[in-house]
């Protein structure tokens, strides 16, 4: 029950859209207050609609971080766009992210056209304001306003936290009245296996800068939990994972000379896993070639796309 002095509790779903690399996942993580999505400066990092849950006294925002909408070149690309369209038809508010440090381009116009069919209110967020001058930000706010009919246009820096709280309050105000949809301790509905796979893919994207990113998929083959022989009463989690590339020529890029790159990927992702699981992790990584998986329906299904 709300009283005159206490506004009603609001809850609902907010989808973040934007072209690849528009800062959507960084913004999701900033709003939630912890890392729920992987961040990389490679386009097409997010391949699933990751949900983060923002808990506030007056409301709960369930953030749906979609893959970047883009002109698809493969079956994977078409499936990613389908994920976005399905998501948009089913949310209470849409957050359209446009980076402050890059001119508004054809990719943004393409998304604006897709948003022409949605009924939910649209909040345009000019992201990465820490990476642009005040003049650039002002110009971007004007350009962004011309793209779509927006309920609000807000400049935000997820990195410095500038205006993040203002954005949260705006979004809550646009949600329907209702009780929380998720319990307070829950910040994402991603399953553990998916989160572990994403940590490996994030570390791999940081280490290989050539043509591997689009061709890389990660699958978790096995998770084994057992007592930690080094620490009584604690758990040791063994994780066996495969990194799939499309061509034999890409395998050495991931392995590196004398296995240096795969070792670095392992130690970086293991640190994230130990934080996530609250236990010591033994990680085994293997690189396999799964030819042209981005255009093969069976292989895409096997990898969960």
């Amino acid at each position: 029950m709300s009283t005159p002095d206490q506004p009603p509790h609001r809850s609902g779903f907010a989808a973040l859209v934007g072209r690849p690399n528009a800062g959507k996942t960084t913004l999701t993580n900033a709003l939630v207050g912890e890392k729920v999505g992987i961040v990389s400066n490679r386009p097409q990092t997010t391949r699933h609609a990751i949900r983060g849950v923002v808990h506030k006294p007056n409301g709960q925002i369930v953030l749906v971080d979609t893959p970047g909408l883009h002109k698809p070149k493969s079956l994977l690309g078409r499936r990613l766009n389908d994920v976005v369209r399905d998501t948009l038809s089913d949310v209470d508010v849409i957050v359209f992210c446009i980076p402050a440090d890059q001119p508004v381009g054809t990719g943004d116009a393409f998304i604006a056209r897709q948003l022409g069919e949605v009924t939910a209110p649209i909040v345009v967020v000019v992201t990465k304001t820490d990476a642009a001058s005040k003049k650039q930000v002002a110009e971007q706010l004007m350009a962004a306003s011309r793209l779509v009919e927006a309920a609000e246009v807000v400049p935000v820096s997820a990195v410095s936290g500038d205006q993040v709280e203002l954005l949260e309050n705006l979004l809550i105000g646009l949600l329907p009245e209702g009780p929380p949809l998720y319990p307070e301790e829950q910040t994402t509905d991603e399953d553990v296996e998916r989160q572990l796979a994403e940590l490996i893919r994030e570390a791999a994207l940081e280490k290989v800068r050539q043509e591997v990113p689009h061709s890389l998929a990660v699958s978790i083959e096995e998770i084994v939990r057992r007592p930690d022989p080094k620490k009584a009463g604690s758990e040791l989690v063994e994780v066996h994972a495969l990194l799939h590339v499309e061509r034999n020529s890409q395998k050495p890029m991931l392995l590196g000379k004398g296995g240096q790159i795969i070792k670095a990927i392992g130690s970086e992702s293991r640190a994230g896993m130990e934080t996530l699981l609250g236990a010591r992790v033994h990680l085994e990584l293997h690189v396999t070639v799964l030819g042209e998986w981005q255009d093969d329906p069976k292989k895409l299904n096997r990898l969960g796309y």
Side-chain angles (χ1 to χ4, degrees), residues 19 44 49 94 96 265 273 301:
R19 58 186 152 112
Q44 230 192 73
I94 289 162
F96 183 8
I265 292 169
M273 290 178 178
N301 292 345

Side-chain angles (χ1 to χ4, degrees), residues 38-255:
I38 79 166
V39 180
S40 157
N41 53 8
R42 305 281 165 295
Q44 230 192 73
T45 302
T46 304
R47 286 184 180 159
H48 298 279
I50 295 171
R51 289 177 175 80
V53 188
V54 181
H55 303 273
K56 293 281 158 194
N58 59 333
Q60 187 184 75
I61 314 165
V62 184
L63 295 167
V64 186
D65 177 11
T66 61
L69 261 176
H70 59 294
K71 289 218 165 104
K73 295 185 179 70
S74 65
L75 178 60
L76 171 66
R78 291 199 293 280
R79 286 195 177 181
L80 293 180
N81 277 353
D82 290 343
V83 169
V84 183
R85 292 202 183 93
D86 290 350
T87 305
L88 297 186
S89 62
D90 213 20
V91 295
D92 303 295
V93 59
I94 289 162
V95 182
F96 183 8
C97 297
I98 297 174
D101 61 342
Q102 300 156 39
V104 168
T106 52
D108 300 305
F110 173 75
I111 292 164
R113 285 196 300 277
Q114 311 291 316
L115 293 179
E117 299 156 30
V118 302
T119 52
I122 298 167
V123 174
V124 173
V125 177
V126 172
T127 59
K128 307 186 184 184
T129 55
D130 53 290
S133 67
K134 282 197 169 133
K135 181 171 180 286
Q136 261 179 307
V137 173
E139 285 168 359
Q140 203 68 328
L141 288 167
M142 292 295 291
S145 307
R146 287 193 288 269
L147 274 178
V148 287
E149 280 287 319
E152 302 279 354
V153 182
V154 193
V156 166
S157 167
V159 172
S160 70
D162 190 37
Q163 303 248 84
V164 170
E165 201 170 330
L166 174 92
L167 175 61
E168 283 174 353
N169 291 330
L170 270 177
L171 294 177
I172 287 171
L174 292 167
L175 296 177
E177 289 182 24
L181 302 166
Y182 285 88
E184 200 160 330
E185 64 281 1
Q186 190 165 353
T187 53
T188 180
D189 71 355
E190 279 287 271
D191 61 52
V192 169
E193 202 169 289
R194 174 86 50 83
Q195 284 179 291
L196 296 179
E198 291 290 88
L199 283 167
I200 297 166
R201 203 161 65 90
E202 179 178 29
L205 291 176
E206 287 308 312
K207 299 286 179 270
V208 288
R209 305 212 164 250
Q210 283 132 315
E211 55 179 309
V212 171
H214 290 287
S215 305
L216 177 66
V218 177
S219 63
I220 303 293
E221 297 301 291
E222 194 179 19
I223 299 172
V224 182
R225 297 168 183 268
R226 56 178 53 141
D228 188 342
K230 291 189 177 175
K231 200 173 171 194
S234 296
E235 199 175 46
L236 172 69
V237 183
E238 278 183 25
V239 179
H240 300 263
L242 295 177
L243 289 86
H244 307 274
V245 290
E246 289 192 302
R247 291 185 293 283
N248 277 313
S249 59
Q250 294 168 329
K251 218 170 158 177
M253 295 179 197
L254 276 175
L255 293 170

